[in-house]
Amino acid sequence: MKKRFKKIYIEITNKCNLNCSFCGKNKRPLKEMSIDEFKVVIEKIKPYTDYIYLHIKGEPLLHPKLDEILSICDKEKIEVNTTTNATLIKEKFNILNSHKSLRQINISLHSENNYKDYFEKVFETCKILSTKMFISYRIWNLENFKLDKKSTDIVNKIIASYNLSPLIVEKLYNDTDIKIDNNTFVNKENLFVWPDLSNNLEIDNKCYGLDTHIGILSDGTVVPCCLDGNGEINLGNIFKEDLSDILNSKKVKEIIEGFKNNKSICELCKNCNFRNRFVNH
């Protein structure tokens, strides 16, 4: 019986139209998956999952063949989540609204941009999209939320646009996961330090990488999780190898066994503090 993953992250492009300070920096050559490459990925991962996330690094709505990518997912009956800075969401509305495979759009409202009428365009577009899919607005500053002007400004814009009741407003300020409308949620999370070999953390702990999920970068590199955006833990290349061979490699087995025993085998994992947070939930 094949290993089944809750989700597989697929980076269709590592290009982005922003350069936000909280996002881990891309150290790889810029690349977008071709349609033929994406077809190879889908064919090889189909036996392993029913859900994909079109995101690791980069802005997925930038991909020039996004419509074709989602059409492939429609045909293969694979459900799709994606994460976006939403600067292009109104421009790409017709594409996003026309594919039954698209299940959820996560929107990083904390993105650092100077786009005119950004929030108005995002909320206007998402209110329509939410009739067909889930919308998750992400705010990345939970720890200092009430003291951070940008965070409270964002929340105030949400309150005004959705004409929220006092009860929901109270939840927005005090809870972390709040339903504000039909299929529409606000999720607040702490900022975190992206894993990097220079972090000097020396952490040992369990991780859900290679258990509930794996990641596939735009050049085909398979990685244990979505936080290895620079392919530091290169497990193989899905364009050249079968996923079963990659997952049954000695390296993968050693990483999995290490996590079972609260040990980080890879240097990048030792320098990742995101795992502590998510193991404790």
Side-chain angles (χ1 to χ4, degrees), residues 59-67 70 84 86-99 102 105 125 129 133:
E59 170 50 54
L61 300 194
L62 274 176
H63 199 293
K65 302 291 185 180
L66 179 64
D67 194 19
L70 291 175
T84 174
T87 54
L88 299 172
I89 198 164
K90 186 171 184 178
E91 178 183 330
K92 301 291 183 176
F93 168 77
N94 288 336
I95 293 174
L96 299 172
N97 197 46
S98 62
H99 292 281
L102 191 54
I105 302 178
T125 306
L129 291 174
M133 65 195 71

Side-chain angles (χ1 to χ4, degrees), residues 47-85:
Y48 295 88
T49 193
D50 297 316
Y51 293 89
I52 63 172
Y53 278 59
L54 297 182
H55 182 64
I56 294 182
K57 288 285 185 67
E59 170 50 54
L61 300 194
L62 274 176
H63 199 293
K65 302 291 185 180
L66 179 64
D67 194 19
E68 292 178 54
I69 284 171
L70 291 175
S71 292
I72 292 167
C73 296
D74 292 344
K75 180 181 177 182
E76 299 295 343
K77 295 181 171 57
I78 289 180
E79 294 196 70
V80 180
N81 288 14
T82 191
T83 299
T84 174
N85 60 39

Side-chain angles (χ1 to χ4, degrees), residues 246-271:
I246 294 172
L247 295 176
N248 285 301
S249 68
K250 180 182 176 183
K251 184 174 183 178
V252 167
K253 290 178 180 178
E254 287 176 347
I255 294 171
I256 292 172
E257 190 62 25
F259 286 149
K260 286 179 181 177
N261 294 293
N262 288 355
K263 290 292 180 183
S264 299
I265 302 301
C266 302
E267 286 300 314
L268 188 70
C269 299
K270 294 177 182 178
N271 286 282

